[in-house]
């Protein structure tokens, strides 16, 4: 089990403490996973730590360094929005989260399955890491978004800058070849450049795929 601690304030609850984390299940068939890469990350220095770590630290089962995409301005350029600046999906997963999951548990060329794809972040990250993916989604609006994100390179989906964060990982080039990293972009792409709001209106007939 992995605990992903959210960085923004939890929503207050009337009869219980506000939840500020998300549980990520980590299952294996048998005692050992078929693939597991020990990732070393350049974790930001905590206020009570005196010295920088020259070689980073191993990622543990407590993830405190990945920011969620909130409904407010903290969501940044990565959050998908319509022409009225409304979020297209309030539970959109950040690319940084799927980058860590896919890097740790797969090799180049492997097949990644996401049976509840939402807006397709798993497929978007898998494509950039040279993995294949199967993305299953029942909502026709989300299927439109997934197809658009996989077809076009949106600036907010680019994971290139994250590679430096994992530079201390042993044999990083094997699981994330450097030739897959794109040059840094000056302008972040916007979904509005590619997505016509009228195309994602809910369909009443037809197969969502």
């Amino acid at each position: 089990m992995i605990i992903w601690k959210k960085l923004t304030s939890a929503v207050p609850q009337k009869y219980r403490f506000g939840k500020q984390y998300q549980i990520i299940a980590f299952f294996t068939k048998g005692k050992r996973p078929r693939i597991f890469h020990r990732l070393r990350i350049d974790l930001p220095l905590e206020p009570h730590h005196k010295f920088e770590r020259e070689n980073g630290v191993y990622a543990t089962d407590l993830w405190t360094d990945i920011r969620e995409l909130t409904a407010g301005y903290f969501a940044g350029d990565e959050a998908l929005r319509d022409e009225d600046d409304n979020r297209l999906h309030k539970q959109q997963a950040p690319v940084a989260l799927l980058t860590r999951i896919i890097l740790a548990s797969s090799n180049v060329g492997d097949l990644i399955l996401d049976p509840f794809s939402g807006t397709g972040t798993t497929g978007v990250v898998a494509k950039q890491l040279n993995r294949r993916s199967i993305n299953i989604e029942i909502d026709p609006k989300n299927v439109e978004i997934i197809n658009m994100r996989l077809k076009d390179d949106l600036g907010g989906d680019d994971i290139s800058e994250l590679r430096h964060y994992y530079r201390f990982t042993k044999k990083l080039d094997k699981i994330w070849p450097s030739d897959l990293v794109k040059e840094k972009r000056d302008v972040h792409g916007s979904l509005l450049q590619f997505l016509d709001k009228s195309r994602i209106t809910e369909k009443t007939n037809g197969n969502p795929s």
Side-chain angles (χ1 to χ4, degrees):
M1 182 175 69
I2 298 166
I3 302 295
W4 174 31
K5 182 180 180 297
K6 306 296 183 68
L7 300 184
T8 53
S9 299
V11 177
Q13 302 290 321
K14 188 174 182 179
Y15 299 110
R16 63 191 66 189
F17 293 108
K19 184 179 178 181
Q20 199 173 353
Y21 67 92
Q22 182 173 323
I23 295 175
I24 301 173
F26 181 80
F27 292 104
T28 63
K29 184 178 180 180
K31 294 182 179 180
R32 298 176 58 182
R34 183 180 69 89
I35 296 172
F36 181 72
H37 302 294
R38 298 178 68 194
L39 304 176
R40 290 191 72 90
I41 57 178
D42 188 10
L43 196 66
L45 191 68
E46 297 288 344
H48 58 280
H49 290 166
K50 188 175 181 180
F51 301 106
E52 293 279 356
R53 298 181 177 91
E54 295 183 358
N55 298 311
V57 296
Y58 283 114
T60 68
D61 58 1
L62 177 61
W63 296 357
T64 61
D65 55 327
I66 298 176
R67 189 186 68 184
E68 70 276 18
L69 302 182
T70 64
Y73 64 91
F74 286 112
D77 295 326
E78 185 181 342
L80 305 174
R81 301 178 183 276
D82 63 19
E83 59 187 12
D84 297 321
D85 204 35
N86 297 312
R87 293 284 302 279
L88 293 179
H89 197 296
K90 292 185 178 180
Q91 298 301 320
Q92 179 188 343
V95 293
L97 181 67
L98 272 301
T99 296
R100 181 167 300 174
I101 292 172
I102 293 175
L103 273 181
S105 56
S106 69
N107 291 323
V108 170
D110 279 352
L111 181 63
I112 311 297
L113 171 66
D114 187 347
F116 307 100
S117 292
T119 58
T121 303
T122 298
V124 168
V125 173
K127 179 182 177 182
Q128 295 182 71
L129 292 175
N130 202 18
R131 274 74 163 169
R132 299 167 296 147
S133 67
I134 296 176
N135 304 277
I136 302 172
E137 175 57 42
I138 193 173
D139 190 330
K141 294 183 293 184
N142 289 341
V143 172
E144 289 277 358
I145 295 171
I146 293 170
N147 289 334
M148 195 63 64
R149 292 180 76 187
L150 291 175
K151 177 182 177 183
D152 299 296
D153 293 328
L154 305 184
D157 286 339
D158 191 356
I159 65 172
S160 299
E161 293 184 2
L162 297 176
R163 194 178 190 278
H164 186 71
Y165 193 63
Y166 293 92
R167 66 189 182 279
F168 301 119
T169 298
K170 187 177 181 180
K171 298 181 180 179
L172 179 61
D173 279 332
K174 186 176 181 180
I175 60 174
W176 191 348
S178 57
D179 59 358
L180 296 178
V181 179
K182 304 174 184 177
E183 294 183 2
K184 184 177 179 181
R185 305 179 186 194
D186 295 326
V187 180
H188 285 290
S190 169
L191 190 68
L192 300 181
Q193 295 175 267
F194 311 101
L195 187 60
D196 180 353
K197 188 178 180 182
S198 63
R199 294 180 57 196
I200 60 171
T201 54
E202 187 168 359
K203 300 177 182 178
T204 56
N205 298 307
N207 192 318
S209 61

